[in-house]
Amino acid sequence: MCKTKLFILLVVFILFYVQFCTSNDTISLNKSLKDGDLLVSSGKLFALGFFSPGNNSNNRYVGIWYYNIPELTVVWVANRENPVNDTYGVLSIDPTGNLVILNRNTKIFSWKFNISSAQLLDSGNFVFFHDTKKEVVVWQSFDYPTNTILPDMKFGNDKKTGLNRSLTSWKSVNDPGSGEYVYKIEINGLVPQVFLYKNSNRIWRTGPWTGLGWSGVPGMRPGFIFSSKYVDNESEVSVTFTMKDSVISRLVLNESGMMSILNWQEGVNKWVQFWSAPEDSCDDYVHCGKFSTCNLYHLGEFECKCLVGYEPRENRSWYLRDGSQGCLRLKDENVCRNDEVFAKLSNVKVPDTYNARLNMSIGLQECEKLCLRNCSCSAYASANVSIGGIGCITWYGDLIDTREFTDGGQDLYIRVSASTLAQFSKNNSGYNMKRTIAIMTIFIAAILIALSFACCLVIRKRKRDKEDQFTSLNTLTKNLASYENSSRGNEMDGSEQVDVLIFDLSTIISSTDDFSDANKLGEGGFGSVYKGQLSNGQEIAVKRLSKNSGQGVEEFKNEVTLIARVQHRNLVRLLGCCVQRGEKMLIYEYLSNKGLDSFIFDKTKGSLLDWRKRFEIIVGIARGLSYLHHDSRVRIIHRDLKASNVLLDASMHPKISDFGTARIFGGDQIEANTNRVVGTYGYMSPEYAMEGHFSVKSDVFSFGVLLLEIITGRKNTTHNQDHSLNLVGNVWNSWNDDKAIDVVDPLLGDLYESSEVLRCIQIGLLCVQSYANERPMMSQVVFMLCNDTKLSNPGQPGFVYKSRNSSSLPYSSSASIGNSVNDISITAQHAR
Ligand SMILES: *[C@@H]1O[C@H](CO)[C@@H](O)[C@H](O)[C@H]1NC(C)=O
Ligand SMILES: *[C@@H]1O[C@H](CO)[C@@H](O)[C@H](O)[C@H]1NC(C)=O
Ligand SMILES: *[C@@H]1O[C@H](CO)[C@@H](O)[C@H](O)[C@H]1NC(C)=O
Ligand SMILES: *[C@@H]1O[C@H](CO)[C@@H](O)[C@H](O)[C@H]1NC(C)=O
Ligand SMILES: *[C@@H]1O[C@H](CO)[C@@H](O)[C@H](O)[C@H]1NC(C)=O
Ligand SMILES: *[C@@H]1O[C@H](CO)[C@@H](O)[C@H](O)[C@H]1NC(C)=O
Ligand SMILES: *[C@@H]1O[C@H](CO)[C@@H](O)[C@H](O)[C@H]1NC(C)=O
Ligand SMILES: *[C@@H]1O[C@H](CO)[C@@H](O)[C@H](O)[C@H]1NC(C)=O
Ligand SMILES: *[C@@H]1O[C@H](CO)[C@@H](O)[C@H](O)[C@H]1NC(C)=O
Ligand SMILES: *[C@@H]1O[C@H](CO)[C@@H](O)[C@H](O)[C@H]1NC(C)=O
Ligand SMILES: *[C@@H]1O[C@H](CO)[C@@H](O)[C@H](O)[C@H]1NC(C)=O
Ligand SMILES: *[C@@H]1O[C@H](CO)[C@@H](O)[C@H](O)[C@H]1NC(C)=O
């Protein structure tokens, strides 16, 4: 009895609490916020209230933090210099419309506005409204960032109002007061750059915006999930970064002066750092003085180097590895209307633009002329590298703070006399040389070599064609009969004599019943897949590529020939292609069994695969992938490995399909021209998802996910509304709790050796580690699977999406050969 009453009381209390104390995102004239209460944004993403930072429990600050993240992560502080010294603080709007923080009726802090309400939005923005209808925004916290930039928040200057949105670090983790580091956009000169200051000394410079990113920040390229937008017009200069899907991400300047992008990784409940700067000593502002570059990538050498045409100002300090004195123009160097040229330096962060001019209306060639016309012009570069180069930056006088990267950065052209460049090029092939005999010599030599090579090829080809009973690509004989008589084994890349069949369009049309829907097997980013049957009864799978592949016919055939030679028993065979009437098609062997996904994710068919079978499948996939990566003639990165892209033959041997499609389709071209990234959610490695950067290690990541799926019989789904962990996160937690055996697919019963399964799980976790260089190579994975060696302990797995409104993404289902498709694949456009 009593218990029921108590219970009812409790419910009433909770309802009351929910109604009046939480779940409201607005304060207004009559509704203030006491210490202990929270404003929560309508989608429950951010909360605003009083907090104490770090171990500092005496001081209370009004701040905004993530509502859902267990680790208190403050993204904005209202009264960073004016804490409340006890827990009686109140945030309210006073009768004159000012928002104030009061402590026992003493005013601690106030914003002097004539406002009627203030609302916390789901973006993390705290917005003040003039009227109750919430129409006129008077003030917003996004305009006054503290140490954090959130997605869709502008960073930069409003040229009209003079409002500069910059970041200032906290004093310490226990004190959100203004610290010693400041990060801001500056427009000294004509080209905006971002500087990091420590106590008003410049310590790092990003360089100007190149159209894709900052010249000096190669790691922050736009990727599949991350993109940024730069605006420089009469009214503002600003950068905004956007996260696609719903990855929780923030850019923060921390107490020790490090800028970093952090993503919340739900699987492990941690912030994972994606990028950080300054990175190394070359990032120190003007580390090498004037007219020099900084390059850390030649081991053991002094990082500072004079630019071409310059020599150390002080030989002694240079010798002692102190570059701060910089360099001088070579003594006898005359670069004023005296046959001077430009030396190209690639992958650099361009010099400080304080003495630079910008002209967006001319291209690189006119830029060179412009620079040549003025004797004090020392270098030039493209202002926007995103489409082959637009605009022109010219430097007059000193060139300071240049550095080199191995990847990223942009090209810089340095004025130098022709004789110096020729001299330099003799010793160093790294520089591009113009108007010199050397280049002609090389050119002619290259042509001669190419010609003789081509002759050899033709002669050899002729010889071979005679002996060859199959049709060859070059002769273009469309003779199917000879193919039909042929019988080929599935040996491992043994024979040199692999020929690609050129199928006739009419053959394909009749075999697929004119691409009838009944024969359609799937549809995806690259096109649709149809089943076909040749007149001799052989079944084929035809992949009809979408029309605008951007690749020429010859190029296409060359790629097909290359890929067709890649043969392994764990790879689906590419038989040939068909190029006719603007159509491009790939013809594969057909496998009657469906994709691995239709077995492992299926309650009934899953039991067909016992542990032994599954292990064999894992090893088979690993072998196939290792072959693609290491042993075939062309290194192929699959880029879209997933359960539905692994087909099973009649005896349940796995065969990887769809490899090389990106190559055939001109994958690099796709990314360069249309900015599309192809891949499938859940299998995408963090570096691919974020930066669009793929490597063999991205495939290793996908393999790891696939391995865990095979063992658990569960999809690495990313659509978990209830905040439950996804598969990788789940396995990782179980592994850390020594309960990894619990994740094994219940369909396997007890019929497996737990040590073997645990070993496989461990290998899977090693493959999905967050940092690409910690993941093993596929060859090592094969070795680990087949030998009982000691394995290292897996580190934290790569990030796991948090999905709140995934529907905002453009999905398209993906095609795979020989089966229907139920996995989603993504083709996204990134804004650059
Ligand atoms: C917050 O409170 C105001 C007035 O007290 C009310 O009009 C509004 O609907 C509430 N909002 C939410 C999200 O509960
Ligand atoms: C605030 O309270 C006063 C009286 O206390 C009332 O007259 C007024 O309408 C209220 N305003 C709002 C916006 O609720
Ligand atoms: C908080 O921790 C710092 C070191 O991290 C220490 O110096 C300081 O005294 C601590 N403050 C309090 C109030 O405990
Ligand atoms: C807190 O601040 C108020 C006024 O701002 C002051 O009167 C009070 O003495 C302070 N309390 C402590 C414990 O410092
Ligand atoms: C504040 O705004 C209200 C309504 O717009 C107006 O009536 C009032 O005069 C304003 N007060 C001040 C001090 O500007
Ligand atoms: C904002 O930056 C601009 C250019 O860097 C500068 O001229 C202006 O004074 C700054 N405004 C404020 C309010 O600091
Ligand atoms: C760079 O060029 C691209 C392509 O024309 C354009 O979309 C982009 O806005 C340009 N960026 C800047 C900063 O001018
Ligand atoms: C500058 O760019 C911003 C953002 O794209 C735009 O809202 C604004 O109207 C532009 N201003 C001018 C003067 O073009
Ligand atoms: C600041 O960030 C860097 C890089 O993420 C990290 O190494 C460092 O420990 C951080 N400093 C503090 C005080 O958190
Ligand atoms: C530095 O040494 C080089 C050769 O070693 C010499 O040509 C040059 O004149 C020296 N420079 C100075 C400033 O002494
Ligand atoms: C850019 O170059 C063109 C062609 O040389 C010239 O007409 C134009 O005035 C230049 N613009 C600026 C801003 O210097
Ligand atoms: C060369 O450029 C500098 C800097 O822009 C300028 O001051 C100078 O007048 C120019 N000289 C000539 C000859 O155009």
Side-chain angles (χ1 to χ4, degrees):
M1 277 299 236
C2 190
K3 268 184 190 163
T4 339
K5 268 186 194 162
L6 245 170
F7 180 70
I8 289 170
L9 250 170
L10 194 71
V11 168
V12 168
F13 175 74
I14 288 174
L15 279 177
F16 178 85
Y17 188 80
V18 166
Q19 198 69 39
F20 296 99
C21 302
T22 62
S23 87
N24 207 323
D25 59 356
T26 304
I27 56 174
S28 51
L29 276 177
N30 291 359
K31 186 167 179 300
S32 53
L33 183 83
K34 292 197 301 293
D35 194 335
D37 294 349
L38 287 184
L39 285 190
V40 179
S41 68
S42 61
K44 298 210 186 327
L45 295 173
F46 286 95
L48 181 144
F50 287 84
F51 74 99
S52 294
N55 64 1
N56 185 342
S57 52
N58 299 328
N59 290 342
R60 304 290 289 169
Y61 296 86
V62 172
I64 297 175
W65 59 87
Y66 295 93
Y67 184 68
N68 277 325
I69 289 181
E71 182 183 334
L72 176 71
T73 309
V74 177
V75 297
W76 184 74
V77 184
N79 52 332
R80 60 192 302 184
E81 318 289 354
N82 311 79
V84 179
N85 62 8
D86 55 29
T87 56
Y88 295 95
V90 175
L91 178 71
S92 64
I93 297 176
D94 74 7
T96 55
N98 297 329
L99 191 70
V100 291
I101 298 173
L102 303 171
N103 181 14
R104 301 175 201 261
N105 295 326
T106 318
K107 192 151 74 186
I108 304 286
F109 189 73
S110 74
W111 292 272
K112 292 197 179 54
F113 294 112
N114 187 2
I115 61 166
S116 62
S117 63
Q119 186 183 14
L120 179 63
L121 306 181
D122 265 342
S123 55
N125 197 1
F126 190 37
V127 186
F128 296 5
F129 293 101
H130 188 58
D131 48 352
T132 39
K133 286 194 218 98
K134 297 186 179 170
E135 274 161 1
V136 186
V137 175
V138 182
W139 192 94
Q140 53 177 349
S141 65
F142 269 18
D143 282 341
Y144 299 87
T146 51
N147 68 345
T148 305
I149 301 176
L150 292 174
D152 302 319
M153 173 168 168
K154 269 182 190 166
F155 169 75
N157 302 352
D158 188 323
K159 293 177 184 170
K160 293 246 163 76
T161 61
L163 173 73
N164 296 342
R165 303 178 199 91
S166 59
L167 300 186
T168 307
S169 68
W170 285 21
K171 275 208 178 86
S172 74
V173 283
N174 303 319
D175 183 357
S178 296
E180 47 189 353
Y181 296 95
V182 174
Y183 183 74
K184 61 180 174 192
I185 288 196
E186 281 191 12
I187 329 177
N188 49 1
L190 292 165
V191 191
Q193 308 180 101
V194 184
F195 284 96
L196 178 61
Y197 281 84
K198 178 180 187 180
N199 296 327
S200 68
N201 294 319
R202 284 179 178 163
I203 57 171
W204 177 58
R205 180 182 67 96
T206 61
W209 190 263
T210 66
L212 297 179
W214 299 110
S215 176
V217 189
M220 225 171 94
R221 284 168 300 193
F224 170 64
I225 288 181
F226 178 87
S227 68
S228 37
K229 179 174 159 228
Y230 174 81
V231 173
D232 182 12
N233 60 23
E234 289 96 78
S235 51
E236 66 180 66
V237 49
S238 68
V239 199
T240 316
F241 84 94
T242 304
M243 300 304 290
K244 296 200 186 110
D245 191 29
S246 40
V247 179
I248 292 186
S249 186
R250 65 197 167 105
L251 180 68
V252 61
L253 170 62
N254 80 6
E255 299 70 50
S256 38
M258 291 295 280
M259 289 297 310
S260 46
I261 293 183
L262 300 162
N263 295 314
W264 179 251
Q265 193 170 327
E266 185 144 297
V268 290
N269 281 355
K270 253 196 201 162
W271 286 102
V272 175
Q273 177 179 311
F274 214 83
W275 160 88
S276 83
E279 246 179 329
D280 49 39
S281 55
C282 279
D283 271 341
D284 294 349
Y285 186 60
V286 208
H287 181 64
C288 291
K290 296 173 181 173
F291 300 113
S292 54
T293 81
C294 192
N295 181 338
L296 279 168
Y297 307 109
H298 299 298
L299 268 185
E301 283 179 29
F302 181 32
E303 67 266 23
C304 297
K305 301 224 164 31
C306 291
L307 295 172
V308 204
Y310 296 84
E311 62 179 355
R313 177 184 291 269
E314 270 264 353
N315 278 343
R316 197 183 128 75
S317 59
W318 207 261
Y319 178 74
L320 294 173
R321 301 205 158 190
D322 166 13
S324 59
Q325 299 289 320
C327 306
L328 286 171
R329 185 68 83 185
L330 286 168
K331 277 192 204 72
D332 44 2
E333 178 96 335
N334 185 354
V335 290
C336 191
R337 301 201 173 83
N338 184 35
D339 195 26
E340 64 264 37
V341 293
F342 287 92
K344 176 174 160 188
L345 195 55
S346 297
N347 299 112
V348 298
K349 160 163 127 184
V350 297
D352 194 338
T353 54
Y354 72 97
N355 55 354
R357 298 233 169 143
L358 177 69
N359 189 334
M360 284 312 288
S361 56
I362 59 177
L364 214 50
Q365 281 177 0
E366 292 102 299
C367 196
E368 176 175 345
K369 286 184 200 137
L370 178 71
C371 192
L372 273 179
R373 276 204 295 273
N374 187 327
C375 283
S376 53
C377 177
S378 43
Y380 72 90
S382 184
N384 183 342
V385 299
S386 61
I387 297 191
I390 308 164
C392 165
I393 307 181
T394 41
W395 280 263
Y396 299 89
D398 294 349
L399 302 174
I400 62 170
D401 198 37
T402 308
R403 70 165 297 178
E404 289 172 68
F405 301 105
T406 47
D407 187 19
Q410 61 185 109
D411 295 339
L412 175 70
Y413 300 85
I414 299 150
R415 190 188 198 113
V416 63
S417 76
S419 57
T420 304
L421 183 59
Q423 184 73 30
F424 183 83
S425 304
K426 234 184 251 168
N427 316 334
N428 190 333
S429 56
Y431 280 93
N432 173 20
M433 192 170 34
K434 292 162 77 179
R435 301 181 216 169
T436 51
I437 300 162
I439 211 160
M440 289 306 290
T441 325
I442 292 169
F443 190 63
I444 291 166
I447 286 180
L448 284 177
I449 291 170
L451 273 177
S452 51
F453 192 67
C455 278
C456 273
L457 274 182
V458 167
I459 291 168
R460 244 178 65 188
K461 189 87 201 168
R462 287 229 177 103
K463 227 168 153 186
R464 222 177 63 187
D465 283 350
K466 262 187 228 151
E467 308 162 356
D468 205 339
Q469 58 161 324
F470 307 128
T471 37
S472 89
L473 175 63
N474 288 9
T475 54
L476 285 182
T477 329
K478 289 145 196 161
N479 182 356
L480 264 177
S482 59
Y483 171 70
E484 286 163 10
N485 297 335
S486 74
S487 58
R488 298 184 202 197
N490 272 355
E491 303 87 49
M492 295 172 59
D493 197 22
S495 64
E496 292 270 326
Q497 307 287 70
V498 176
D499 284 291
V500 177
L501 283 171
I502 305 293
F503 288 81
D504 198 53
L505 184 59
S506 57
T507 313
I508 301 295
I509 288 179
S510 67
S511 75
T512 59
D513 206 2
D514 198 7
F515 302 108
S516 71
D517 279 348
N519 281 332
K520 193 162 178 172
L521 298 167
E523 167 122 37
F526 289 117
S528 315
V529 184
Y530 298 86
K531 184 182 170 182
Q533 195 167 32
L534 298 178
S535 52
N536 68 342
Q538 166 154 26
E539 290 179 317
I540 54 173
V542 179
K543 181 160 202 163
R544 191 183 193 185
L545 300 179
S546 30
K547 291 210 169 149
N548 50 350
S549 81
Q551 229 184 11
V553 170
E554 278 316 307
E555 230 177 325
F556 175 74
K557 284 182 190 161
N558 288 341
E559 276 311 331
V560 172
T561 320
L562 221 54
I563 303 296
R565 290 191 178 162
V566 174
Q567 294 189 12
H568 185 272
R569 81 174 88 88
N570 294 116
L571 301 178
V572 173
R573 282 273 313 275
L574 175 61
L575 302 175
C577 65
C578 169
V579 207
Q580 234 171 325
R581 276 186 256 148
E583 293 267 10
K584 286 182 191 157
M585 282 173 243
L586 299 170
I587 321 300
Y588 291 89
E589 67 175 320
Y590 176 79
L591 295 171
S592 54
N593 264 333
K594 288 191 165 182
L596 185 55
D597 56 330
S598 64
F599 288 90
I600 54 174
F601 303 136
D602 189 287
K603 286 274 169 294
T604 49
K605 280 163 93 185
S607 51
L608 292 175
L609 300 176
D610 60 11
W611 168 244
R612 192 71 2 235
K613 206 74 227 166
R614 290 190 197 204
F615 182 72
E616 280 166 15
I617 289 172
I618 291 170
V619 175
I621 300 170
R623 287 214 167 104
L625 201 55
S626 171
Y627 172 79
L628 284 179
H629 286 179
H630 306 296
D631 304 323
S632 74
R633 279 159 222 212
V634 267
R635 168 178 280 200
I636 292 174
I637 301 173
H638 190 296
R639 292 217 261 177
D640 198 11
L641 183 70
K642 56 183 170 184
S644 60
N645 269 340
V646 174
L647 308 184
L648 297 177
D649 70 7
S651 42
M652 295 295 203
H653 291 137
K655 282 170 180 271
I656 301 174
S657 79
D658 234 12
F659 57 89
T661 318
R663 252 193 100 109
I664 292 175
F665 201 74
D668 300 338
Q669 227 163 346
I670 296 172
E671 286 181 17
N673 292 347
T674 62
N675 306 333
R676 292 164 82 203
V677 176
V678 182
T680 301
Y681 252 169
Y683 294 94
M684 243 188 259
S685 65
E687 71 275 7
Y688 184 23
M690 285 289 289
E691 297 172 25
H693 184 80
F694 60 90
S695 67
V696 290
K697 293 296 184 73
S698 335
D699 272 357
V700 173
F701 185 93
S702 310
F703 172 80
V705 173
L706 182 53
L707 186 156
L708 296 177
E709 287 183 338
I710 294 173
I711 293 176
T712 58
R714 282 177 45 202
K715 272 190 187 173
N716 187 36
T717 174
T718 57
H719 304 275
N720 40 346
Q721 254 71 33
D722 51 349
H723 301 300
S724 63
L725 300 177
N726 73 356
L727 175 61
V728 170
N730 218 320
V731 174
W732 170 245
N733 282 357
S734 307
W735 175 263
N736 283 335
D737 296 347
D738 275 334
K739 287 186 197 147
I741 211 74
D742 294 354
V743 303
V744 176
D745 191 346
L747 290 179
L748 293 179
D750 298 331
L751 304 173
Y752 56 83
E753 214 174 298
S754 36
S755 63
E756 198 176 29
V757 174
L758 285 176
R759 187 176 169 83
C760 273
I761 293 176
Q762 189 169 1
I763 293 171
L765 286 171
L766 286 171
C767 292
V768 296
Q769 291 177 103
S770 188
Y771 294 104
N773 26 8
E774 283 166 16
R775 293 174 214 145
M777 303 295 276
M778 277 321 294
S779 49
Q780 292 169 297
V781 171
V782 174
F783 183 82
M784 289 190 257
L785 285 168
C786 302
N787 296 279
D788 206 9
T789 51
K790 192 164 158 40
L791 301 177
S792 52
N793 282 329
Q796 180 168 304
F799 76 84
V800 176
Y801 303 106
K802 178 179 170 59
S803 293
R804 64 180 137 84
N805 50 354
S806 321
S807 58
S808 62
L809 267 156
Y811 289 111
S812 69
S813 59
S814 95
S816 53
I817 311 305
N819 69 8
S820 68
V821 175
N822 43 16
D823 228 316
I824 30 174
S825 198
I826 286 149
T827 304
Q829 304 283 131
H830 24 106
R832 290 194 168 177

